[in-house]
Amino acid sequence: MAFDARAGDRSVSRLRRDATRPGLARRHRTVPSGVDPMGVEASVPEPEPVTMRLDGRVALVTGAGSPDGIGYATARRLRDLGARVAIVSTTRRIHERATELGATGFVADLTDESEVGALADAIAEQLGEVEVLVNNAGLASRASPEVLRPVAQLSFEEWQAEINRNLTTAFLCSRAFIGGMAERGWGRIVNLAATAGPVNALPTEAAYAAAKAGVVGLTRALAMEMVADGVTVNAVAPGTIYTAASTMAELKQGLGTPVGRPGTPDEVAAAIAFLCSPAASYITGQMLVVDGGNSVREAQFR
């Protein structure tokens, strides 16, 4: 069933859940059986199995319109782990990707609060409540290239555009689903950061770097807010990754990494999928860098 928030789709319920309302019931923190944190022997259920499987869970991957991108590769991995996958982008090509993946495609502008709300309703009606959220939307593409301009020449509109598509999208989508995750006592959120901003920076990338650094700040704050509710929130920070949107300059940068090549979308997707899985239950508020060791090396050696 096709859904297009921009077309004013009315095939789903317009009863909006209050995205700003906290979960109805805060889960108590649990400790392993036998551990005595307060001088009283604790007896709690066994922790969830250490498994990568996501059988039956509903997963949403944003920004999955490109068949060569990180979002598409992530959706494919989550599908292979047993998740029921929803994907979303700003254009109707998402329905082609959905057909290829056996997923459900949605069209929405994730910088628009009302469209994110309509998307949440549509997914709930067609697939069920989202339990796994991958905030991948915002990475540059050929259709929507990154703004490369020194701060002195950067317009306020260009600044806002970079912040909105890289940071606001993660905020709005996370806010739309965290209430339901908290009420059910389980959830996974993985945000796509980047090495630019949290780890390093290049001239002319101030807006992008600021947005991606903001993604890490959002990740850590939200992780602490949700830690008692069985919801983990982490970030993955790719370095130079070979996608259809890669420029020649970026590919040359990839050749200069310690590994000697740019990364692939599948390699980033593998890291994301792990953090989405039950196996990552004791990891939250973290940023996993996937850059071939580039951020570790102190200097370029010949």
Side-chain angles (χ1 to χ4, degrees):
M1 180 177 180
F3 170 82
D4 188 341
R6 293 174 143 183
D9 195 295
R10 294 296 183 269
S11 62
V12 298
S13 168
R14 297 303 302 131
L15 293 176
R16 286 287 300 118
R17 59 182 69 76
D18 184 352
T20 64
R21 183 185 179 200
L24 295 179
R26 298 287 290 180
R27 264 59 181 186
H28 294 292
R29 302 174 197 270
T30 60
V31 295
S33 180
V35 175
D36 186 10
M38 299 289 292
V40 179
E41 189 73 11
S43 179
V44 296
E46 290 296 319
E48 61 182 316
V50 178
T51 175
M52 288 288 292
R53 297 298 302 177
L54 290 166
D55 296 299
R57 297 197 183 276
V58 176
L60 170 62
V61 181
T62 69
S66 170
D68 304 310
I70 292 170
Y72 186 87
T74 299
R76 182 171 56 220
R77 280 200 175 253
L78 297 183
R79 177 207 65 190
D80 291 346
L81 291 174
R84 301 168 62 199
V85 178
I87 54 177
V88 59
S89 76
T90 57
T91 66
R92 295 190 63 81
R93 69 173 178 168
I94 197 67
H95 298 305
E96 298 175 22
R97 305 289 83 79
T99 299
E100 295 162 3
L101 289 168
T104 305
F106 299 87
V107 179
D109 177 358
L110 301 182
T111 66
D112 186 310
E113 184 177 15
S114 64
E115 291 197 22
V116 172
L119 172 68
D121 287 340
I123 296 174
E125 179 160 305
Q126 295 187 39
L127 294 176
E129 297 292 339
V130 169
E131 299 167 281
V132 176
L133 171 63
V134 178
N135 283 312
N136 173 71
L139 298 179
S141 66
R142 286 174 178 170
S144 182
E146 181 184 351
V147 176
L148 299 174
R149 211 183 307 282
V151 170
Q153 301 171 17
L154 193 66
S155 72
F156 183 56
E157 290 75 18
E158 290 169 333
W159 169 269
Q160 282 186 310
E162 286 290 308
I163 299 297
N164 283 343
R165 74 176 180 176
N166 287 287
L167 179 56
T168 301
T169 53
F171 160 69
L172 289 176
C173 289
S174 295
R175 192 184 65 174
F177 298 108
I178 54 176
M181 291 181 184
E183 289 175 14
R184 291 185 298 276
W186 197 94
R188 296 286 185 269
I189 298 175
V190 178
N191 297 321
L192 264 291
T195 52
V199 178
N200 51 41
L202 291 170
T204 75
E205 290 189 351
Y208 179 79
K212 290 304 185 182
V215 167
V216 177
L218 172 65
T219 298
R220 290 173 176 159
L222 187 56
M224 294 300 96
E225 291 178 9
M226 304 301 295
V227 71
D229 295 309
V231 180
T232 66
V233 188
N234 291 288
V236 171
T240 302
I241 307 300
Y242 185 18
T243 70
S246 298
T247 65
M248 287 302 298
E250 289 171 338
L251 295 180
K252 288 179 180 178
Q253 289 173 7
L255 295 175
T257 65
V259 171
R261 62 170 177 82
T264 68
D266 278 334
E267 289 172 321
V268 181
I272 295 169
F274 168 67
L275 292 173
C276 289
S277 74
S281 57
Y282 202 56
I283 302 172
T284 195
Q286 303 304 308
M287 181 182 74
L288 175 57
V289 175
V290 183
D291 72 344
N294 203 47
S295 58
V296 177
R297 181 177 53 191
E298 184 173 356
Q300 178 77 47
F301 295 100
R302 297 182 181 277

